[in-house]
């Protein structure tokens, strides 16, 4: 079983924020900020989530989830590892112009086991397997115009800085 290494750290190690955002037709902007470009197994991932809501549309909730994705050959699977939901279904919160929340998402100390079917017996078989972690943020409006923001894969490495 060969697992592709997606956890290389470019040297020198550089600290810095990474932000991503999405805007819908009502000018509602959902934004997420990571405070580092890489993480180690078992570490918590600090994430800041915010939105701007210039039209003061009614927001129901914001959900943040950490997923482990793995691909074996051409089949892709995923497991939800951690998450948080902010319920904003309160008259003073639902129509705010701006909102900000922070969360710590827990990476596992090691990848969750993946299972696969073996189609051949008695032969040596090379199986390609890729593993990555992604954060998905969903903003749910009361009127059903939901927004989803999926961050690029999280860099998880077993390397140490030298």
């Amino acid at each position: 079983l060969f697992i592709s290494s997606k956890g290389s750290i470019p040297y020198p190690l550089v600290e810095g924020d990474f932000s991503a955002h999405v805007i819908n037709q009502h000018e509602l902007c959902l934004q997420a900020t990571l405070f580092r470009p890489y993480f180690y197994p078992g570490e918590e991932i600090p994430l800041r989530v915010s939105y701007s809501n210039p039209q003061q549309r009614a927001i129901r909730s914001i959900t943040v989830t950490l997923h482990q994705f793995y691909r074996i050959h051409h089949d892709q699977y995923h497991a939800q590892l951690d998450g948080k939901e902010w319920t904003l279904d309160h008259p003073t919160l639902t129509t705010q112009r701006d909102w900000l929340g922070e969360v710590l998402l827990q990476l596992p100390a090691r990848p969750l086991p993946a299972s696969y079917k073996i189609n051949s017996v008695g032969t040596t078989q090379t199986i390609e397997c890729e593993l990555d972690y992604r954060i998905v943020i969903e903003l749910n409006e009361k009127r059903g115009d939901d927004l989803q923001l999926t961050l690029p894969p999280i860099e998880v490495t077993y390397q140490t800085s030298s």
Side-chain angles (χ1 to χ4, degrees):
L1 176 67
F2 296 104
I3 298 178
S4 69
S5 172
K6 290 191 165 196
S8 61
I9 298 178
Y11 288 95
L13 296 176
V14 177
E15 298 290 328
D17 293 355
F18 168 78
S19 293
H21 71 277
V22 63
I23 300 173
N24 74 1
Q25 72 270 19
H26 304 291
E27 298 177 13
L28 184 60
C29 178
L30 176 63
Q31 182 170 343
T33 303
L34 284 171
F35 299 101
R36 284 200 342 242
Y38 65 91
F39 297 92
Y40 295 100
E43 232 183 336
E44 290 182 323
I45 301 171
L47 180 72
R48 178 178 291 146
V49 179
S50 63
Y51 72 73
S52 62
N53 184 8
Q55 295 184 15
Q56 295 184 300
R57 297 182 58 84
I59 306 301
R60 178 170 299 164
S61 65
I62 294 178
T63 306
V64 177
T65 52
L66 173 64
H67 296 265
Q68 173 183 284
F69 285 84
Y70 52 97
R71 184 183 66 78
I72 300 172
H73 287 297
H74 299 288
D75 298 326
Q76 184 166 314
Y77 307 93
H78 81 279
Q80 181 176 324
L81 303 176
D82 198 4
K84 168 146 179 92
E85 180 177 21
W86 289 280
T87 302
L88 306 172
D89 206 4
H90 187 273
T92 59
L93 295 175
T94 58
T95 58
Q96 283 182 268
R97 286 187 184 270
D98 297 295
W99 177 88
L100 175 73
E102 294 186 352
V103 65
L104 294 172
L105 298 171
Q106 183 68 50
L107 276 171
R110 58 185 177 171
L112 297 179
S115 62
Y116 57 91
K117 295 179 182 177
I118 297 175
N119 295 328
S120 58
V121 177
T123 62
T124 303
Q125 184 178 24
T126 301
I127 299 171
E128 288 184 33
C129 178
E130 291 183 15
L131 173 71
D132 64 36
Y133 298 92
R134 295 184 203 148
I135 295 174
V136 177
I137 301 117
E138 295 176 354
L139 181 145
N140 298 303
E141 278 194 71
K142 284 192 173 185
R143 293 191 182 130
D145 293 332
D146 299 339
L147 277 176
Q148 181 173 311
L149 175 60
T150 302
L151 299 182
I154 304 281
E155 291 289 331
V156 178
T157 184
Y158 292 91
Q159 297 179 12
T160 57
S161 58
S162 44

